[in-house]
Coordinates of all heavy atoms in Angstrom, one line a residue:
M1 N 55.9 -102.6 -4.8 CA 56.3 -101.3 -4.3 C 55.7 -101.1 -2.9 O 54.6 -101.4 -2.6 CB 55.8 -100.2 -5.2 CG 56.4 -98.9 -5.0 SD 56.0 -97.7 -6.3 CE 55.8 -96.3 -5.4
S2 N 56.6 -100.5 -2.0 CA 56.1 -100.4 -0.6 C 55.2 -99.2 -0.5 O 55.3 -98.2 -1.3 CB 57.3 -100.3 0.3 OG 58.0 -99.1 0.0
D3 N 54.4 -99.2 0.6 CA 53.4 -98.1 0.8 C 54.2 -96.9 1.2 O 55.0 -96.9 2.1 CB 52.5 -98.5 2.0 CG 51.4 -97.5 2.2 OD1 51.5 -96.4 1.7 OD2 50.5 -97.9 3.0
P4 N 54.0 -95.8 0.5 CA 54.8 -94.5 0.7 C 54.3 -93.8 2.0 O 54.9 -92.8 2.4 CB 54.6 -93.7 -0.5 CG 53.2 -94.1 -1.0 CD 53.1 -95.6 -0.7
Y5 N 53.1 -94.2 2.5 CA 52.5 -93.4 3.6 C 53.1 -93.9 5.0 O 53.3 -95.1 5.2 CB 51.0 -93.6 3.6 CG 50.3 -92.8 2.5 CD1 50.2 -93.3 1.2 CD2 49.9 -91.5 2.8 CE1 49.7 -92.5 0.2 CE2 49.3 -90.8 1.8 CZ 49.2 -91.3 0.5 OH 48.6 -90.5 -0.5
I6 N 53.4 -92.9 5.8 CA 53.9 -93.1 7.2 C 52.9 -92.5 8.2 O 52.5 -91.3 8.0 CB 55.3 -92.4 7.3 CG1 56.3 -93.0 6.3 CG2 55.8 -92.5 8.7 CD1 57.6 -92.2 6.2
A7 N 52.6 -93.2 9.2 CA 51.7 -92.7 10.3 C 52.5 -91.6 11.1 O 53.6 -91.9 11.5 CB 51.2 -93.8 11.2
V8 N 52.0 -90.4 11.2 CA 52.7 -89.4 11.9 C 52.0 -88.9 13.1 O 52.7 -88.3 14.0 CB 52.9 -88.2 10.9 CG1 53.8 -88.5 9.8 CG2 51.6 -87.6 10.4
A9 N 50.7 -89.1 13.3 CA 50.0 -88.7 14.5 C 48.6 -89.3 14.6 O 48.1 -89.7 13.6 CB 49.9 -87.1 14.5
E10 N 48.1 -89.3 15.8 CA 46.7 -89.6 16.1 C 45.9 -88.3 15.7 O 46.3 -87.2 15.9 CB 46.4 -89.9 17.5 CG 47.3 -91.0 18.1 CD 46.7 -92.4 17.7 OE1 45.5 -92.5 17.4 OE2 47.5 -93.3 17.6
C11 N 44.8 -88.6 15.0 CA 43.9 -87.4 14.6 C 43.6 -86.6 15.8 O 43.6 -85.3 15.8 CB 42.6 -87.9 14.0 SG 42.9 -88.7 12.4
A12 N 43.3 -87.2 17.0 CA 42.9 -86.5 18.2 C 44.0 -85.6 18.7 O 43.7 -84.7 19.6 CB 42.4 -87.5 19.2
A13 N 45.2 -85.8 18.3 CA 46.3 -85.0 18.8 C 46.3 -83.6 18.2 O 47.1 -82.7 18.7 CB 47.7 -85.7 18.5
I14 N 45.5 -83.3 17.2 CA 45.6 -82.0 16.5 C 44.1 -81.4 16.5 O 43.3 -81.8 15.7 CB 46.1 -82.0 15.1 CG1 47.4 -82.8 15.1 CG2 46.4 -80.6 14.6 CD1 48.0 -83.0 13.6
P15 N 43.8 -80.5 17.4 CA 42.4 -80.0 17.4 C 42.2 -79.1 16.2 O 43.2 -78.6 15.6 CB 42.4 -79.1 18.7 CG 43.8 -78.8 19.0 CD 44.6 -80.0 18.5
E16 N 41.0 -78.9 15.8 CA 40.7 -78.0 14.7 C 41.3 -76.6 14.9 O 41.3 -76.1 16.0 CB 39.1 -77.8 14.6 CG 38.6 -76.8 13.6 CD 38.9 -77.2 12.2 OE1 38.8 -78.4 11.8 OE2 39.1 -76.3 11.4
G17 N 42.0 -76.1 13.9 CA 42.7 -74.8 13.9 C 44.1 -74.9 14.5 O 44.7 -73.9 14.6
G18 N 44.6 -76.2 14.7 CA 45.9 -76.3 15.3 C 46.8 -77.0 14.3 O 46.4 -77.5 13.3
F19 N 48.1 -77.1 14.7 CA 49.1 -77.9 14.0 C 50.1 -78.5 14.9 O 50.3 -78.0 16.0 CB 49.7 -77.1 12.8 CG 50.5 -75.9 13.3 CD1 51.8 -76.0 13.8 CD2 49.9 -74.6 13.2 CE1 52.5 -74.9 14.1 CE2 50.7 -73.5 13.6 CZ 52.0 -73.7 14.1
I20 N 50.8 -79.5 14.4 CA 52.0 -80.0 15.2 C 53.1 -80.1 14.2 O 53.0 -80.1 13.0 CB 51.7 -81.4 15.8 CG1 51.4 -82.4 14.7 CG2 50.6 -81.3 16.8 CD1 51.3 -83.9 15.2
K21 N 54.3 -80.3 14.8 CA 55.5 -80.5 14.0 C 55.9 -82.0 14.1 O 55.9 -82.5 15.2 CB 56.7 -79.7 14.5 CG 56.6 -78.2 14.3 CD 57.7 -77.4 15.0 CE 59.0 -77.9 14.6 NZ 60.1 -77.1 15.2
V22 N 56.3 -82.6 13.0 CA 56.8 -84.0 13.1 C 58.0 -84.1 12.0 O 58.1 -83.2 11.2 CB 55.7 -85.0 12.7 CG1 54.6 -85.0 13.7 CG2 55.2 -84.8 11.3
K23 N 58.7 -85.1 12.2 CA 59.8 -85.4 11.2 C 59.4 -86.8 10.6 O 59.2 -87.7 11.4 CB 61.1 -85.4 11.8 CG 62.3 -85.3 10.8 CD 63.6 -85.1 11.5 CE 64.7 -84.7 10.5 NZ 65.1 -83.4 10.7
A24 N 59.4 -86.9 9.3 CA 59.1 -88.2 8.6 C 60.0 -88.3 7.4 O 60.1 -87.4 6.6 CB 57.6 -88.2 8.2
A25 N 60.7 -89.4 7.3 CA 61.6 -89.7 6.2 C 62.6 -88.5 6.0 O 62.9 -88.2 4.9 CB 60.8 -89.9 4.9
G26 N 63.0 -88.0 7.1 CA 64.0 -86.9 7.1 C 63.5 -85.5 6.7 O 64.3 -84.6 6.6
V27 N 62.2 -85.4 6.6 CA 61.6 -84.1 6.2 C 60.9 -83.5 7.4 O 60.1 -84.2 8.1 CB 60.6 -84.3 5.1 CG1 60.0 -82.9 4.7 CG2 61.2 -85.0 3.9
D28 N 61.2 -82.3 7.7 CA 60.4 -81.6 8.8 C 59.1 -81.1 8.3 O 59.0 -80.4 7.3 CB 61.2 -80.3 9.3 CG 62.5 -80.7 10.1 OD1 62.4 -81.6 10.9 OD2 63.5 -80.1 9.8
L29 N 58.0 -81.7 8.9 CA 56.7 -81.4 8.4 C 55.9 -80.7 9.5 O 56.1 -80.8 10.7 CB 56.0 -82.8 8.2 CG 56.6 -83.7 7.1 CD1 55.8 -85.0 7.2 CD2 56.5 -83.1 5.8
L30 N 54.9 -80.0 9.0 CA 53.9 -79.4 9.8 C 52.5 -80.0 9.4 O 52.2 -80.0 8.2 CB 53.9 -77.9 9.5 CG 53.1 -76.9 10.4 CD1 53.7 -75.6 10.3 CD2 51.7 -76.9 9.9
I31 N 51.9 -80.6 10.4 CA 50.6 -81.3 10.1 C 49.5 -80.4 10.7 O 49.5 -80.1 11.9 CB 50.5 -82.7 10.8 CG1 51.8 -83.5 10.4 CG2 49.2 -83.4 10.3 CD1 52.0 -83.8 9.0
A32 N 48.6 -79.9 9.8 CA 47.6 -78.9 10.3 C 46.2 -79.5 10.1 O 46.0 -80.4 9.3 CB 47.7 -77.6 9.4
H33 N 45.3 -79.0 11.0 CA 43.9 -79.4 11.0 C 43.1 -78.1 10.8 O 43.1 -77.3 11.6 CB 43.6 -80.1 12.3 CG 42.2 -80.7 12.4 ND1 41.7 -81.2 13.5 CD2 41.2 -80.8 11.4 CE1 40.5 -81.6 13.3 NE2 40.2 -81.4 12.0
A34 N 42.5 -78.0 9.6 CA 41.7 -76.8 9.3 C 40.5 -77.2 8.5 O 40.6 -77.9 7.5 CB 42.6 -75.8 8.5
G35 N 39.4 -76.6 8.9 CA 38.1 -76.9 8.1 C 37.8 -78.3 8.0 O 37.2 -78.8 7.0
G36 N 38.1 -79.1 9.0 CA 37.8 -80.5 9.0 C 38.7 -81.4 8.2 O 38.5 -82.6 8.2
R37 N 39.7 -80.8 7.7 CA 40.7 -81.6 6.9 C 42.1 -81.5 7.5 O 42.4 -80.5 8.3 CB 40.9 -81.0 5.5 CG 39.8 -81.4 4.5 CD 40.1 -80.9 3.1 NE 41.4 -81.4 2.6 CZ 41.9 -80.9 1.4 NH1 41.3 -80.0 0.7 NH2 43.1 -81.4 1.0
Y38 N 42.9 -82.5 7.2 CA 44.3 -82.5 7.6 C 45.2 -82.2 6.4 O 44.9 -82.7 5.3 CB 44.7 -83.8 8.3 CG 43.9 -84.1 9.6 CD1 42.7 -84.7 9.6 CD2 44.4 -83.6 10.8 CE1 42.0 -84.9 10.8 CE2 43.7 -83.8 12.0 CZ 42.5 -84.5 12.0 OH 41.8 -84.7 13.1
Y39 N 46.3 -81.4 6.7 CA 47.2 -81.1 5.6 C 48.6 -81.4 6.1 O 48.9 -81.2 7.3 CB 47.1 -79.6 5.3 CG 45.8 -79.1 4.9 CD1 44.8 -78.7 5.8 CD2 45.4 -79.1 3.5 CE1 43.5 -78.3 5.4 CE2 44.2 -78.6 3.1 CZ 43.2 -78.2 4.1 OH 42.0 -77.8 3.6
A40 N 49.5 -81.7 5.2 CA 50.9 -81.9 5.5 C 51.7 -81.0 4.6 O 51.6 -81.1 3.3 CB 51.3 -83.3 5.3
I41 N 52.5 -80.1 5.2 CA 53.4 -79.2 4.4 C 54.8 -79.3 5.0 O 55.0 -79.7 6.1 CB 52.9 -77.8 4.4 CG1 53.0 -77.2 5.9 CG2 51.5 -77.6 3.9 CD1 52.7 -75.7 6.0
E42 N 55.8 -78.9 4.2 CA 57.1 -78.9 4.7 C 57.2 -77.6 5.6 O 56.7 -76.6 5.3 CB 58.2 -78.8 3.6 CG 59.6 -78.9 4.2 CD 60.7 -79.0 3.1 OE1 60.4 -78.7 1.9 OE2 61.8 -79.4 3.5
D43 N 57.9 -77.8 6.8 CA 58.0 -76.7 7.7 C 59.1 -75.7 7.3 O 60.1 -75.5 8.0 CB 58.2 -77.3 9.1 CG 58.2 -76.2 10.2 OD1 57.7 -75.1 9.9 OD2 58.7 -76.5 11.3
L44 N 58.9 -75.1 6.1 CA 59.9 -74.3 5.6 C 59.3 -73.3 4.6 O 58.7 -73.7 3.6 CB 60.9 -75.1 4.8 CG 62.3 -74.5 4.5 CD1 63.1 -74.2 5.8 CD2 63.1 -75.5 3.6
C45 N 59.4 -72.0 5.0 CA 58.9 -70.9 4.1 C 59.8 -70.9 2.8 O 61.0 -71.0 2.9 CB 59.0 -69.6 4.8 SG 58.3 -68.3 3.8
S46 N 59.2 -70.7 1.7 CA 60.0 -70.7 0.4 C 60.7 -69.3 0.2 O 61.5 -69.2 -0.7 CB 59.0 -70.9 -0.8 OG 58.0 -69.9 -0.8
H47 N 60.4 -68.4 1.1 CA 61.0 -67.1 0.9 C 62.4 -67.0 1.4 O 63.4 -66.8 0.6 CB 60.1 -66.0 1.5 CG 60.7 -64.6 1.4 ND1 60.9 -63.8 2.5 CD2 61.2 -63.9 0.3 CE1 61.4 -62.6 2.0 NE2 61.6 -62.7 0.7
E48 N 62.6 -67.3 2.7 CA 64.0 -67.3 3.2 C 64.2 -68.5 4.1 O 64.9 -68.4 5.1 CB 64.2 -66.0 4.0 CG 64.4 -64.8 3.0 CD 64.9 -63.6 3.7 OE1 65.2 -63.6 4.9 OE2 65.1 -62.6 3.0
D49 N 63.6 -69.6 3.8 CA 63.9 -70.9 4.5 C 63.7 -70.7 6.0 O 64.5 -71.1 6.9 CB 65.3 -71.4 4.3 CG 65.5 -71.8 2.8 OD1 64.5 -72.0 2.1 OD2 66.7 -72.0 2.4
Y50 N 62.6 -70.1 6.4 CA 62.3 -69.9 7.8 C 61.2 -70.9 8.2 O 60.3 -71.2 7.4 CB 61.8 -68.5 8.0 CG 61.6 -68.0 9.4 CD1 62.7 -67.7 10.2 CD2 60.4 -67.8 9.9 CE1 62.6 -67.2 11.4 CE2 60.2 -67.3 11.2 CZ 61.3 -67.0 12.0 OH 61.2 -66.6 13.3
P51 N 61.2 -71.4 9.4 CA 60.2 -72.4 9.8 C 58.8 -71.8 9.8 O 58.5 -70.8 10.5 CB 60.6 -72.8 11.2 CG 62.0 -72.5 11.3 CD 62.2 -71.3 10.5
L52 N 57.9 -72.4 9.1 CA 56.5 -71.9 9.1 C 55.8 -72.2 10.4 O 54.8 -71.7 10.8 CB 55.7 -72.5 7.9 CG 56.1 -72.0 6.6 CD1 55.5 -72.8 5.5 CD2 55.6 -70.5 6.5
S53 N 56.4 -73.2 11.2 CA 55.7 -73.5 12.5 C 55.8 -72.3 13.5 O 55.2 -72.4 14.5 CB 56.4 -74.8 13.1 OG 57.8 -74.6 13.1
F54 N 56.6 -71.3 13.2 CA 56.6 -70.1 14.0 C 55.4 -69.2 13.6 O 55.2 -68.2 14.3 CB 57.9 -69.3 13.8 CG 59.1 -70.0 14.4 CD1 60.4 -69.8 13.9 CD2 59.0 -70.8 15.5 CE1 61.5 -70.5 14.4 CE2 60.1 -71.4 16.1 CZ 61.4 -71.3 15.5
G55 N 54.7 -69.5 12.6 CA 53.6 -68.7 12.1 C 52.3 -69.2 12.7 O 52.3 -69.9 13.7
C56 N 51.2 -68.8 12.0 CA 49.9 -69.2 12.5 C 48.9 -69.5 11.4 O 49.1 -69.0 10.3 CB 49.3 -68.1 13.5 SG 49.2 -66.5 12.7
L57 N 47.9 -70.3 11.7 CA 46.9 -70.7 10.7 C 45.9 -69.6 10.6 O 45.5 -69.0 11.6 CB 46.3 -72.0 11.1 CG 47.1 -73.3 11.1 CD1 46.2 -74.5 11.5 CD2 47.7 -73.5 9.7
H58 N 45.4 -69.4 9.4 CA 44.2 -68.6 9.1 C 43.4 -69.4 8.2 O 43.6 -69.4 7.0 CB 44.6 -67.2 8.5 CG 45.4 -66.3 9.4 ND1 44.8 -65.5 10.3 CD2 46.7 -66.1 9.5 CE1 45.8 -64.9 11.0 NE2 46.9 -65.2 10.5
G59 N 42.4 -70.1 8.7 CA 41.6 -71.0 7.9 C 42.5 -72.0 7.3 O 43.3 -72.6 8.0
A60 N 42.4 -72.2 5.9 CA 43.2 -73.2 5.3 C 44.5 -72.6 4.7 O 45.0 -73.0 3.6 CB 42.4 -73.9 4.2
S61 N 45.1 -71.6 5.4 CA 46.4 -71.1 5.0 C 47.2 -70.9 6.2 O 46.7 -70.8 7.4 CB 46.2 -69.8 4.2 OG 45.7 -68.8 5.1
I62 N 48.5 -70.8 6.0 CA 49.4 -70.5 7.1 C 50.2 -69.3 6.8 O 50.7 -69.1 5.6 CB 50.3 -71.7 7.4 CG1 51.1 -71.4 8.7 CG2 51.2 -72.0 6.2 CD1 51.7 -72.7 9.3
K63 N 50.4 -68.4 7.8 CA 51.1 -67.1 7.6 C 52.5 -67.2 8.2 O 52.6 -67.6 9.4 CB 50.3 -66.0 8.2 CG 51.0 -64.7 8.1 CD 50.0 -63.6 8.6 CE 50.7 -62.2 8.3 NZ 49.7 -61.2 8.1
C64 N 53.5 -66.9 7.4 CA 54.9 -66.9 7.9 C 55.1 -65.7 8.8 O 54.7 -64.6 8.5 CB 55.8 -66.9 6.7 SG 57.6 -66.8 7.2
S65 N 55.7 -66.0 10.0 CA 55.8 -64.9 10.9 C 57.0 -64.0 10.6 O 57.1 -62.9 11.3 CB 56.0 -65.5 12.4 OG 57.2 -66.2 12.4
L66 N 57.9 -64.3 9.7 CA 59.0 -63.5 9.4 C 58.7 -62.3 8.6 O 59.0 -61.1 8.9 CB 60.2 -64.3 8.8 CG 61.5 -63.6 8.8 CD1 61.9 -63.1 10.2 CD2 62.6 -64.6 8.3
H67 N 58.1 -62.5 7.4 CA 57.8 -61.4 6.5 C 56.3 -61.3 6.1 O 55.9 -60.5 5.3 CB 58.6 -61.4 5.2 CG 60.1 -61.4 5.5 ND1 60.9 -62.5 5.2 CD2 60.9 -60.5 6.1 CE1 62.2 -62.2 5.6 NE2 62.2 -61.0 6.1
G68 N 55.5 -62.3 6.6 CA 54.1 -62.2 6.4 C 53.4 -62.9 5.2 O 52.2 -62.7 5.0
S69 N 54.2 -63.6 4.4 CA 53.5 -64.3 3.3 C 52.6 -65.4 3.9 O 53.0 -66.1 4.8 CB 54.5 -64.9 2.4 OG 55.1 -64.0 1.5
S70 N 51.5 -65.6 3.2 CA 50.6 -66.7 3.6 C 50.7 -67.8 2.4 O 50.9 -67.4 1.3 CB 49.2 -66.3 3.8 OG 49.1 -65.5 4.9
F71 N 50.4 -69.0 2.8 CA 50.5 -70.1 1.8 C 49.2 -71.0 1.9 O 48.8 -71.2 3.1 CB 51.7 -71.0 2.0 CG 53.0 -70.3 1.9 CD1 53.6 -69.6 2.9 CD2 53.6 -70.2 0.6 CE1 54.8 -68.9 2.8 CE2 54.8 -69.5 0.5 CZ 55.4 -68.9 1.6
D72 N 48.7 -71.4 0.8 CA 47.5 -72.3 0.8 C 48.0 -73.6 1.2 O 48.9 -74.2 0.7 CB 47.0 -72.3 -0.7 CG 45.7 -73.1 -0.8 OD1 45.8 -74.3 -0.4 OD2 44.7 -72.6 -1.3
L73 N 47.3 -74.2 2.3 CA 47.8 -75.5 2.8 C 47.6 -76.6 1.8 O 48.3 -77.6 1.9 CB 47.0 -75.8 4.1 CG 47.3 -74.9 5.3 CD1 46.3 -75.2 6.4 CD2 48.7 -75.1 5.8
A74 N 46.6 -76.5 0.9 CA 46.3 -77.6 0.0 C 47.3 -77.6 -1.2 O 47.7 -78.7 -1.6 CB 44.9 -77.5 -0.5
T75 N 47.6 -76.4 -1.7 CA 48.4 -76.4 -2.9 C 49.8 -75.9 -2.7 O 50.7 -76.1 -3.5 CB 47.8 -75.4 -3.9 OG1 47.8 -74.1 -3.4 CG2 46.3 -75.8 -4.2
G76 N 50.1 -75.2 -1.5 CA 51.4 -74.7 -1.2 C 51.6 -73.3 -1.9 O 52.6 -72.7 -1.7
R77 N 50.6 -72.9 -2.7 CA 50.8 -71.6 -3.4 C 50.9 -70.4 -2.5 O 50.1 -70.3 -1.5 CB 49.6 -71.5 -4.3 CG 49.6 -70.4 -5.3 CD 48.5 -70.5 -6.3 NE 47.2 -70.4 -5.6 CZ 46.5 -69.3 -5.4 NH1 47.0 -68.1 -5.8 NH2 45.3 -69.3 -4.8
P78 N 51.8 -69.5 -2.7 CA 51.9 -68.2 -1.9 C 50.7 -67.4 -2.3 O 50.3 -67.2 -3.4 CB 53.2 -67.6 -2.4 CG 53.5 -68.1 -3.7 CD 52.9 -69.5 -3.8
L79 N 50.1 -66.8 -1.3 CA 48.9 -66.0 -1.4 C 49.2 -64.5 -1.4 O 48.3 -63.7 -1.8 CB 47.8 -66.3 -0.4 CG 47.4 -67.8 -0.3 CD1 46.5 -68.0 0.9 CD2 46.7 -68.2 -1.6
D80 N 50.3 -64.1 -0.9 CA 50.7 -62.7 -1.0 C 52.3 -62.6 -0.9 O 52.9 -63.6 -0.5 CB 50.0 -61.9 0.1 CG 49.9 -62.7 1.4 OD1 50.8 -63.5 1.7 OD2 48.9 -62.5 2.1
P81 N 52.8 -61.5 -1.2 CA 54.3 -61.3 -1.2 C 54.8 -61.2 0.2 O 54.0 -61.0 1.1 CB 54.5 -60.0 -2.0 CG 53.2 -59.2 -1.9 CD 52.1 -60.3 -1.7
P82 N 56.1 -61.4 0.4 CA 57.1 -61.4 -0.6 C 57.4 -62.8 -1.2 O 58.1 -62.8 -2.2 CB 58.4 -60.9 0.1 CG 58.2 -61.4 1.5 CD 56.7 -61.3 1.8
A83 N 56.9 -63.9 -0.7 CA 57.2 -65.2 -1.3 C 56.6 -65.3 -2.7 O 55.5 -64.8 -2.9 CB 56.6 -66.3 -0.4
E84 N 57.3 -65.9 -3.6 CA 56.8 -66.1 -4.9 C 56.8 -67.6 -5.3 O 56.0 -67.9 -6.2 CB 57.8 -65.4 -5.9 CG 57.8 -63.9 -5.7 CD 58.7 -63.2 -6.7 OE1 59.6 -63.8 -7.3 OE2 58.5 -61.9 -6.8
Q85 N 57.5 -68.4 -4.6 CA 57.6 -69.8 -4.9 C 56.6 -70.6 -3.9 O 56.5 -70.2 -2.7 CB 59.0 -70.4 -4.7 CG 60.0 -69.7 -5.7 CD 59.6 -69.9 -7.1 OE1 59.2 -71.0 -7.6 NE2 59.6 -68.8 -7.9
P86 N 56.0 -71.7 -4.4 CA 55.2 -72.5 -3.5 C 56.1 -73.2 -2.5 O 57.2 -73.5 -2.7 CB 54.5 -73.5 -4.4 CG 55.4 -73.6 -5.6 CD 56.1 -72.2 -5.8
I87 N 55.4 -73.6 -1.4 CA 56.0 -74.5 -0.4 C 55.7 -76.0 -0.8 O 54.7 -76.2 -1.6 CB 55.6 -74.2 1.0 CG1 54.0 -74.3 1.1 CG2 56.1 -72.9 1.5 CD1 53.5 -74.2 2.6
R88 N 56.4 -76.9 -0.2 CA 56.1 -78.3 -0.6 C 54.9 -78.8 0.2 O 54.8 -78.5 1.5 CB 57.3 -79.2 -0.2 CG 58.5 -79.0 -1.1 CD 59.7 -79.8 -0.6 NE 59.5 -81.2 -1.0 CZ 60.3 -82.1 -0.5 NH1 61.2 -81.9 0.5 NH2 60.1 -83.4 -0.8
V89 N 53.9 -79.5 -0.4 CA 52.8 -80.1 0.2 C 52.8 -81.6 -0.1 O 53.4 -82.0 -1.1 CB 51.5 -79.5 -0.2 CG1 51.4 -78.0 0.1 CG2 51.2 -79.7 -1.7
F90 N 52.3 -82.4 0.8 CA 52.4 -83.8 0.7 C 51.0 -84.5 0.9 O 50.1 -84.0 1.6 CB 53.3 -84.4 1.8 CG 54.7 -83.8 1.7 CD1 55.0 -82.7 2.5 CD2 55.6 -84.3 0.8 CE1 56.3 -82.1 2.4 CE2 56.9 -83.7 0.7 CZ 57.2 -82.6 1.5
P91 N 50.8 -85.6 0.2 CA 49.5 -86.3 0.3 C 49.2 -86.8 1.7 O 50.2 -87.2 2.4 CB 49.6 -87.5 -0.6 CG 50.8 -87.2 -1.5 CD 51.7 -86.3 -0.7
V92 N 48.0 -86.7 2.2 CA 47.5 -87.2 3.5 C 46.4 -88.2 3.4 O 45.5 -88.0 2.5 CB 47.0 -86.0 4.3 CG1 46.4 -86.4 5.6 CG2 48.2 -85.0 4.6
Q93 N 46.5 -89.2 4.2 CA 45.4 -90.2 4.3 C 45.0 -90.3 5.8 O 45.9 -90.2 6.6 CB 45.7 -91.6 3.8 CG 45.9 -91.6 2.3 CD 46.2 -93.0 1.8 OE1 46.5 -93.9 2.6 NE2 46.2 -93.2 0.5
I94 N 43.7 -90.6 6.0 CA 43.3 -90.8 7.4 C 42.9 -92.3 7.4 O 42.0 -92.7 6.7 CB 42.1 -90.0 7.8 CG1 42.4 -88.5 7.6 CG2 41.7 -90.3 9.2 CD1 43.6 -88.0 8.4
K95 N 43.5 -93.1 8.3 CA 43.2 -94.5 8.5 C 43.3 -94.8 10.0 O 44.3 -94.4 10.6 CB 44.2 -95.4 7.7 CG 44.0 -95.6 6.3 CD 44.9 -96.6 5.7 CE 46.3 -96.2 5.7 NZ 47.2 -97.1 5.0
D96 N 42.3 -95.5 10.5 CA 42.3 -96.0 11.9 C 42.5 -94.8 12.8 O 43.3 -94.9 13.8 CB 43.4 -97.1 12.1 CG 43.2 -98.2 11.2 OD1 42.0 -98.6 10.9 OD2 44.2 -98.8 10.7
D97 N 41.9 -93.7 12.6 CA 42.0 -92.5 13.4 C 43.4 -92.0 13.5 O 43.8 -91.3 14.5 CB 41.5 -92.8 14.9 CG 40.0 -93.1 14.9 OD1 39.3 -92.5 14.0 OD2 39.6 -93.9 15.7
R98 N 44.2 -92.3 12.5 CA 45.6 -91.7 12.5 C 45.8 -91.0 11.2 O 45.2 -91.3 10.1 CB 46.6 -92.8 12.6 CG 46.5 -93.5 14.0 CD 47.8 -94.2 14.4 NE 48.1 -95.4 13.7 CZ 49.2 -96.1 13.8 NH1 50.1 -95.7 14.7 NH2 49.4 -97.1 13.1
I99 N 46.8 -90.1 11.2 CA 47.1 -89.3 10.0 C 48.4 -89.9 9.4 O 49.4 -90.1 10.1 CB 47.4 -87.8 10.4 CG1 46.2 -87.2 11.1 CG2 47.8 -87.0 9.2 CD1 46.6 -86.0 12.0
W100 N 48.2 -90.2 8.1 CA 49.3 -90.8 7.3 C 49.8 -89.9 6.3 O 48.9 -89.3 5.6 CB 48.9 -92.1 6.7 CG 48.4 -93.2 7.7 CD1 47.3 -93.2 8.4 CD2 49.1 -94.4 8.0 NE1 47.2 -94.3 9.2 CE2 48.3 -95.1 8.9 CE3 50.3 -95.0 7.5 CZ2 48.7 -96.3 9.5 CZ3 50.7 -96.2 8.1 CH2 49.9 -96.9 9.0
V101 N 51.1 -89.7 6.1 CA 51.6 -88.8 5.2 C 52.6 -89.5 4.3 O 53.3 -90.4 4.7 CB 52.3 -87.6 5.9 CG1 53.0 -86.7 4.9 CG2 51.3 -86.9 6.8
A102 N 52.6 -89.1 3.0 CA 53.6 -89.6 2.1 C 54.7 -88.6 1.8 O 54.5 -87.8 0.8 CB 52.9 -90.1 0.8
P103 N 55.7 -88.5 2.6 CA 56.7 -87.4 2.5 C 57.6 -87.5 1.2 O 58.2 -86.5 0.9 CB 57.5 -87.4 3.8 CG 57.4 -88.8 4.2 CD 56.0 -89.3 3.7
G104 N 57.6 -88.7 0.6 CA 58.5 -88.8 -0.5 C 57.8 -88.6 -1.9 O 58.4 -88.7 -2.9
I105 N 56.5 -88.2 -1.8 CA 55.8 -88.0 -3.1 C 55.7 -86.5 -3.5 O 55.6 -85.7 -2.6 CB 54.3 -88.5 -3.0 CG1 54.3 -90.0 -2.8 CG2 53.5 -88.1 -4.2 CD1 53.0 -90.7 -2.7
Ligands
FES201 S1 60.7 -66.0 5.4 FE1 58.6 -66.4 5.2 S2 57.8 -64.6 4.2 FE2 60.0 -64.2 4.4

């Protein structure tokens, strides 16, 4: 079986507290750096399919700029209304100072 992980960015490209948008395996992803960890989520709010990349990070969560729901970057769980469904989160590995994501898992 082939390795499901795809290199999406250099670690140095995302400062602590920041994020970037990338596309991997046809999925629009947001790669965030918070609390010394990297996270990969789908760049799509579960409430009304709005890009989360228009929002902002608050610690290890991201707040949607359209109606204000926040989501846990690790689990995808909504932390406040109006969103009720989780967002998609993907496994991340760090190898050779690069961020690898498995968008198909
Ligand atoms: S579209 Fe994100 S909270 Fe409504």
Side-chain angles (χ1 to χ4, degrees):
M1 191 170 142
S2 62
D3 187 346
Y5 284 84
I6 298 169
V8 294
E10 302 284 330
C11 292
I14 313 175
E16 172 69 33
F19 63 79
I20 63 169
K21 292 172 54 175
V22 299
K23 194 172 193 113
V27 182
D28 289 316
L29 299 172
L30 189 154
I31 312 298
H33 185 188
R37 279 186 60 187
Y38 293 91
Y39 302 88
I41 64 171
E42 187 171 16
D43 185 16
L44 195 65
C45 182
S46 63
H47 179 231
E48 285 190 2
D49 294 347
Y50 191 73
L52 286 169
S53 52
F54 291 149
C56 54
L57 293 182
H58 293 278
S61 67
I62 187 160
K63 181 172 182 152
C64 178
S65 63
L66 192 54
H67 304 113
S69 284
S70 292
F71 298 89
D72 185 302
L73 292 173
T75 65
R77 189 171 59 88
L79 302 174
D80 39 33
E84 297 179 344
Q85 300 300 315
I87 58 171
R88 295 174 73 195
V89 299
F90 302 96
V92 172
Q93 290 183 349
I94 304 301
K95 277 189 295 188
D96 303 325
D97 294 325
R98 296 203 290 176
I99 304 160
W100 298 70
V101 177
I105 293 180

